[in-house]
Amino acid sequence: REREREDMSKRKERENEERRSGVDGPPDAKQGRTAGQVITGKRSKSVSVEEVKKAIDRCLRLYLSEDEILFILKQKLEVEESFGALILAKLKEQNPAYFEAYLLRVRIKDQINAFNYLVSEQAQQMQRLSRAKAEWARTSSARVSSGSVDGRLANA
């Protein structure tokens, strides 16, 4: 009994020390998953792998790039980039065909966005050109009606 008490007190001391130092403990056996430790300043918070996977899934539905996904994880869940990258790498490893097709869709999305940007820029340039032509036509017709152009022709 005395030995059991000593073991129990040592275990509690170790757990308290782990909590104070901010180090991850062993995988959570009750939930069957490991937890990532996220340290922000002096406070730390635990984020489960399942939470990170759900966030990645939401990002995949928006066709975000890998860098954008890692940025979102860091901003929203305060997950360190290395932890998010590890989860993403494991998901890619589990389903390489999906991610190959996904990356193709992301590239197509980026090309569509670039094309749409260029089309809108062209439309703005065309509007500017149209306004410049209209202004030039107005000033030319004003000079003709005032006789300044006619006077020059008559003197020639």
Side-chain angles (χ1 to χ4, degrees):
R1 285 186 169 171
E2 206 172 300
R3 189 175 231 189
E4 288 176 9
R5 288 182 198 157
E6 286 177 17
D7 289 342
M8 188 80 109
S9 66
K10 285 181 183 179
R11 198 174 318 134
K12 286 182 182 179
E13 284 178 32
R14 214 176 318 123
E15 288 174 0
N16 288 336
E17 181 62 34
E18 285 176 354
R19 278 191 216 115
R20 277 184 260 135
S21 67
V23 176
D24 274 344
D28 189 356
K30 292 177 186 174
Q31 295 179 354
R33 60 182 184 237
T34 60
Q37 192 73 12
V38 179
I39 299 171
T40 55
K42 294 182 180 179
R43 299 178 59 187
S44 64
K45 109 181 182 186
S46 186
V47 179
S48 73
V49 172
E50 292 302 314
E51 288 177 285
V52 174
K53 282 183 178 180
K54 286 178 185 176
I56 290 173
D57 184 50
R58 287 190 298 269
C59 292
L60 292 176
R61 290 185 199 149
L62 297 172
Y63 296 105
L64 299 181
S65 70
E66 186 173 340
D67 291 337
E68 292 169 323
I69 291 171
L70 294 176
F71 180 78
I72 295 291
L73 291 175
K74 187 174 184 178
Q75 292 295 312
K76 300 292 182 184
L77 292 179
E78 299 174 352
V79 171
E80 288 189 32
E81 196 169 319
S82 59
F83 184 64
L86 177 68
I87 301 297
L88 194 55
K90 290 291 182 183
L91 290 172
K92 285 180 177 179
E93 189 179 292
Q94 291 172 358
N95 201 345
Y98 170 80
F99 279 95
E100 186 178 327
Y102 175 79
L103 291 175
L104 180 64
R105 286 186 224 122
V106 169
R107 277 187 271 164
I108 290 171
K109 181 197 89 165
D110 290 342
Q111 288 177 350
I112 289 170
N113 287 339
F115 176 79
N116 288 340
Y117 171 77
L118 292 173
V119 166
S120 90
E121 286 293 308
Q122 182 182 11
Q124 289 176 5
Q125 291 292 338
M126 297 291 283
Q127 287 176 350
R128 287 186 203 119
L129 181 62
S130 166
R131 277 185 254 141
K133 281 183 178 178
E135 182 64 28
W136 182 80
R138 236 187 341 258
T139 58
S140 294
S141 66
R143 277 189 251 139
V144 169
S145 64
S146 69
S148 62
V149 175
D150 293 334
R152 276 187 249 144
L153 289 175
N155 293 335

